[in-house]
Amino acid sequence: MTSPTDTVPALGRLPGRAGALLAELGDRAELHDLYDEAGSAVYHDITASDTHEVRELVALVRQSTGPVLELAAGSGRLTLPLLATGRHVTALELSPGMLAALDERLASAPVRLRERCTPVRGDMSRFDLGQRFGAIVLGTTSVSLLDAPGRAGLFAAVREHLAPGGRFLISTVDDALPGNGVEGEDGEGPGSDENVYELAGASGRVYRMHEYWPSGATTRKVTVFPGDTDGAQDGPVPVFTSSIAIVPADLLIDETTVAGLSLVARHPLPTGGARHRDVLLEMEVTA
Ligand code: SAH
């Protein structure tokens, strides 16, 4: 079974250039899980205006009827557009920091949306809500946060929570391109083992995100540094990290088949990273 700590193996041992940067910071570095309380605020800042998957998910949810269950809802990036379809949304999330950020977002949303949302603290790899849903959504390729037993638990729980005719919508990596053994600096391109992206948050703060992903590795490591560590002279420097499994679509489809779910359609997504394409899988309970 997956416990919260399974998502952050080896905090403190970062590979590649991110590891070197962390070592350079020495005692000043304050290492966090990307989804802990401080991490939730940074995650929210970076993704607040990110719209990827929203259009595709909303279009598919509209084809279903009844209440919606959103898994790993985070700070509500997908929850608000789902509520805007007019449906009731149960937003399940493990991290109290993320749930607090979601509450804040809901508090400033129109009442007609807010009143249709039920945030729930729970683990997507084992939940029992005593209710069935017309659509269950797990977006943002967040299935990658679970190990194989965690995914088996997730699919079993999804099967128990889908109403007749209901749809399970889950995004994952479709296609992973190989790295080339190079620890890339910015813009060194699709083949690098480590890519660095500069990101601007909604607050105006700038971050540098390292994505370390050697060819053939089954996990990639994402680490977020403040954009200005070079300029800052002293004081603590918060660094946020998460280990993300690679769960290719074909593996996911095999696992869901065993769990009694069948593929209805593969919807390619226009997004991904330098090294991969994403896909939205539409599934139903096997007849
Ligand atoms: N869907 C949101 C959040 C994606 S980030 C968005 O698009 O912005 C992934 C989220 O999964 C984080 O909020 C993290 O706290 C949550 N999470 C990680 N493991 C989980 C688990 N086992 N059960 C439920 N949520 C989990």
Side-chain angles (χ1 to χ4, degrees):
M1 245 339 123
T2 299
S3 70
T5 47
D6 289 336
T7 63
V8 275
L11 257 184
R13 279 183 286 125
L14 297 184
R17 292 189 56 246
L21 267 174
L22 192 74
E24 264 172 48
L25 287 169
D27 289 349
R28 294 177 58 205
E30 265 181 18
L31 198 58
H32 292 266
D33 171 41
L34 182 57
Y35 306 122
D36 76 6
E37 205 166 324
S40 298
V42 168
Y43 183 90
H44 180 67
D45 193 29
I46 292 173
T47 60
S49 57
D50 177 351
T51 58
H52 82 263
E53 291 187 24
V54 169
R55 196 169 48 86
E56 293 82 359
L57 273 175
V58 163
L60 288 170
V61 164
R62 280 189 194 284
Q63 290 173 23
S64 66
T65 53
V68 176
L69 171 61
E70 187 197 357
L71 302 172
S75 59
R77 187 182 75 84
L78 304 172
T79 319
L80 274 293
L82 290 172
L83 286 166
T85 65
R87 312 275 284 282
H88 190 282
V89 178
T90 297
L92 183 137
E93 166 60 44
L94 186 60
S95 152
M98 284 292 194
L99 280 168
L102 174 61
D103 279 346
E104 224 174 275
R105 198 164 189 161
L106 287 171
S108 58
V111 170
R112 69 188 163 78
L113 298 192
R114 191 193 319 150
E115 67 189 7
R116 277 185 282 103
C117 189
T118 308
V120 174
R121 174 143 197 250
D123 184 337
M124 62 176 156
S125 67
R126 46 173 167 185
F127 59 92
D128 181 4
L129 302 173
Q131 192 192 340
R132 290 186 183 263
F133 297 85
I136 301 181
V137 172
L138 176 53
T140 324
T141 68
S142 295
V143 66
S144 60
L145 296 169
L146 299 178
D147 56 13
R151 295 195 297 274
L154 163 73
F155 302 140
V158 164
R159 199 176 187 285
E160 290 308 306
H161 287 77
L162 274 179
R167 289 291 193 262
F168 178 36
L169 307 171
I170 177 170
S171 65
T172 195
V173 171
D174 199 14
D175 215 0
L177 307 168
N180 63 7
V182 173
E183 289 177 4
E185 237 313 338
D186 298 9
E188 271 194 27
S192 302
D193 278 0
E194 183 167 356
N195 283 292
V196 186
Y197 307 88
E198 196 159 285
L199 307 170
S203 63
R205 238 167 273 139
V206 175
Y207 306 90
R208 285 166 70 79
M209 184 180 95
H210 290 241
E211 183 186 42
Y212 181 84
W213 183 3
S215 276
T218 54
T219 57
R220 62 195 153 108
K221 187 104 187 159
V222 169
T223 308
V224 178
F225 291 87
D228 57 359
T229 47
D230 299 343
Q233 292 309 306
D234 43 40
V237 178
V239 179
F240 303 91
T241 189
S242 184
S243 233
I244 303 170
I246 314 295
V247 190
D250 290 339
L251 171 64
L252 206 102
I253 292 165
D254 287 350
E255 290 181 354
T256 48
T257 303
V258 171
L261 295 164
S262 313
L263 184 68
V264 175
R266 292 170 89 119
H267 305 275
L269 291 166
T271 51
R275 294 267 305 281
H276 61 99
R277 291 285 152 262
D278 294 338
V279 63
L280 186 56
L281 302 175
E282 180 180 358
M283 306 201 178
E284 63 183 0
V285 173
T286 308

